[in-house]
Amino acid sequence: MNRLHNKVAVITGGASGIGAAVARLFVAEGARVMACDIQDPLDTELARLLQEKPESVRFSRCDASNEAQVSATVAATLAAFDAPISAAVACAGVPGQGSDIDLAVEEWDRIMAINARGVWLLTKHVLPSMIAGGGGSITNISSAYGCVGAPGFAAYCASKGAVRTFTKSTAIEHARQGVRANSIHPGVIETPMLQGIFDRSGDPDATREAFSAQQPNGFNGAPEDIAWGCVYLASDEARFVNGIELPIDGGLLAG
């Protein structure tokens, strides 16, 4: 407990899935958290915390790809907690299926705007507070598909690969200012986003089995599996960890 005591964090994509799990665990570990998302909280436990612990967790409606909204969320975080931001976790993302031949320009731009531009915007707007406060930790959620390619996920792979290398650039550029930046690369994680892929497939059970079959251990991960990695990277335990890509994927990338 209290691994994140006195830290102030901003988490995009915080309404459900990985983002909500990160917000809940950060609060449990002593952080003060601004969770934000384009939709209202869907995670019932996070919704309860918002009611019961407003001194520890707040929520802001925010489109992660919209600079004005990201800037406003960062400003609201500073006003709510009256302390510099010391941790940021970029969880907002969309799946984006389609081959490189068939993908429409508009769909490519939408996926890149949320998955890649959104990560940059959060970094851009939390950095001044982190630097002024003596440093901090930025954790960007990429994907196993940010390290390898996959058929039918052209824009998704491109966007998550961009997150991977952008994070390394941030790590190098701001290391002397006390800011660490790392990316996490989940495997198949049971989230509402993944469920949406199953539901749109025409045969959700078969699609779930196909995704699970990619995992060497034969089962999918939970949002908390990723969230614990975020806790570690935001904590002082990770003070010498900078610029890494951390797979939390059940061994998916080991094959």
Side-chain angles (χ1 to χ4, degrees), residues 45-114:
E45 181 63 16
L46 177 61
R48 183 186 66 78
L49 287 174
L50 287 165
Q51 293 293 323
E52 296 179 359
K53 293 191 172 184
E55 73 283 358
S56 298
V57 60
R58 305 284 182 90
F59 188 85
S60 171
R61 286 292 291 268
C62 176
D63 177 349
S65 68
N66 184 299
E67 182 166 21
Q69 293 184 30
V70 173
S71 176
T73 292
V74 169
T77 305
L78 295 171
F81 301 122
D82 194 27
I85 294 168
S86 49
V89 184
C91 293
V94 291
Q97 293 172 269
S99 74
D100 46 10
I101 293 176
D102 299 326
L103 201 64
V105 169
E106 294 78 10
E107 181 66 0
W108 174 278
D109 288 346
R110 182 185 74 89
I111 294 164
M112 295 298 290
I114 298 167

Side-chain angles (χ1 to χ4, degrees), residues 164-235:
R164 173 177 174 259
T165 50
F166 170 74
T167 303
K168 293 179 183 296
S169 177
T170 302
I172 301 268
E173 185 166 353
H174 298 287
R176 295 292 179 119
Q177 295 166 309
V179 176
R180 297 180 295 105
N182 300 286
S183 59
I184 289 180
H185 299 259
V188 182
I189 307 297
E190 293 282 354
T191 65
M193 185 173 79
L194 184 67
Q195 185 61 49
I197 294 176
F198 297 157
D199 292 342
R200 290 189 296 272
S201 70
D203 190 342
D205 291 338
T207 305
R208 180 185 295 277
E209 290 179 8
F211 271 74
S212 298
Q214 299 177 58
Q215 295 290 148
N217 53 10
F219 62 89
N220 301 335
E224 287 75 14
D225 294 321
I226 310 304
W228 280 120
C230 295
V231 168
Y232 167 66
L233 290 174
S235 75

